Amino acid sequence: MNQEEQMLLFSELCSELYHHQVPEGGERRPRRRRKEEKEEKELAGFKKRKLTAEQVNFLEKNFGNEHKLESSRKVRLASELGLDPRQVAVWFQNRRARWKSKQLEEEYKRLKTMHDAVVMEKCHLEAEVLRLRDQLSDAEKEVKKLSERRNGSPEGERSCSPSSSFSMDTPFLGEFGEDLFYVHENIYINNGMEWVNYYDI
DNA sequence: TATATAAACATGTTACATCA
DNA sequence: GTGATGTAACATGTTTATAT
């Protein structure tokens, strides 16, 4: 038996099997076990064969239009491609699985990129927090020093509230350094960058 | 409305073909 | 010859549509 005869026999066999599964006129018959089908195929000399490039292209085009495969379309495609409708159904099942897998892969890549960017930003922000804490500490030392100089005695002896030294009408413009000016008791602007006194808020 | 049944489907696996 | 890879086909469990 040559290859063509084998395919023909298999096609007939499949057609027979298929019509057991999808009876005409709505009459329902029990599905045959696949093991049984497999054994019959093996007896008929069936060997798994790759679909031709043309068949795959045609199926791909159809898959691009619609991922789902309704019964009439399956039969039409099968007839146009010279395949068994079950082969078309299986191809679509496998294709959907590949498509989903690819989608998941792309979604994973996208989320990973976003995650990496967020991690980087967190690192930068943490470094910034450390830098600002240092800056705040220095500024507090400076304020304390100025307060002591202005009052002629250590701050602790007069008032415990650091904000009290800022309650005067005219702030110490210039005394905080060239780039720093007073906005609010606990909020300062340094070179255009806002920072907050975390200790007092 | 509840239930049974079969088709369609998703998902995981197996078997085979092909290629480096 | 052999391991890796892609994919057709299959197994199984779930969902959905339909008949009763």
Side-chain angles (χ1 to χ4, degrees):
Chain A
M1 189 185 286
N2 64 29
Q3 191 176 317
E4 226 168 69
E5 286 168 338
Q6 281 182 0
M7 283 299 279
L8 188 64
L9 181 58
F10 171 63
S11 178
E12 283 169 4
L13 182 60
C14 284
S15 176
E16 170 73 11
L17 293 172
Y18 177 74
H19 287 295
H20 274 282
Q21 291 174 4
V22 187
E24 303 284 343
E27 190 196 343
R28 286 184 172 168
R29 295 182 200 174
R31 277 195 288 186
R32 297 177 70 178
R33 300 297 303 153
R34 287 190 185 148
K35 256 186 185 171
E36 231 179 288
E37 295 175 19
K38 195 184 169 194
E39 281 163 12
E40 287 188 45
K41 283 178 200 169
E42 277 165 1
L43 279 173
F46 167 70
K47 288 227 165 146
K48 194 166 83 177
R49 290 183 209 297
K50 289 195 88 172
L51 303 180
T52 66
E54 290 77 27
Q55 286 171 327
V56 171
N57 284 340
F58 197 73
L59 288 166
E60 284 287 356
K61 212 177 275 180
N62 270 272
F63 182 80
N65 294 337
E66 172 66 57
H67 292 191
K68 296 270 176 177
L69 182 67
E70 63 280 12
S71 197
S72 57
R73 189 157 153 250
K74 176 171 67 185
V75 173
R76 182 175 57 76
L77 280 174
S79 134
E80 285 177 39
L81 292 168
L83 294 171
D84 177 69
R86 169 143 189 86
Q87 285 178 287
V88 176
V90 165
W91 188 90
F92 265 75
Q93 270 180 24
N94 287 324
R95 188 62 184 83
R96 277 194 296 269
R98 285 199 293 273
W99 180 80
K100 188 169 184 182
S101 162
K102 185 110 185 171
Q103 292 290 109
L104 284 172
E105 199 178 307
E106 281 169 15
E107 182 67 1
Y108 171 78
K109 273 185 200 160
R110 195 182 65 80
L111 289 173
K112 190 172 185 308
T113 303
M114 281 172 65
H115 174 262
D116 290 348
V118 167
V119 167
M120 282 293 284
E121 194 186 354
K122 181 172 175 273
C123 282
H124 287 140
L125 289 172
E126 281 173 352
E128 184 68 6
V129 165
L130 287 178
R131 194 182 68 75
L132 290 173
R133 276 188 182 149
D134 284 347
Q135 206 174 6
L136 179 61
S137 173
D138 290 347
E140 280 179 342
K141 281 178 197 160
E142 186 70 15
V143 166
K144 195 173 176 186
K145 215 187 296 173
L146 288 168
S147 177
E148 285 171 4
R149 198 188 306 161
R150 182 177 172 81
N151 297 323
S153 65
E155 191 187 26
E157 290 176 17
R158 299 176 63 87
S159 167
C160 293
S161 167
S163 64
S164 63
S165 61
F166 294 105
S167 62
M168 57 195 69
D169 292 338
T170 312
F172 299 99
L173 292 177
E175 291 188 42
F176 289 82
E178 283 179 10
D179 298 320
L180 185 66
F181 62 90
Y182 179 76
V183 175
H184 179 269
E185 278 186 302
N186 301 316
I187 301 174
Y188 308 86
I189 291 178
N190 185 7
N191 258 345
M193 188 179 70
E194 191 174 291
W195 55 280
V196 177
N197 184 341
Y198 288 100
Y199 297 108
D200 288 350
I201 288 179

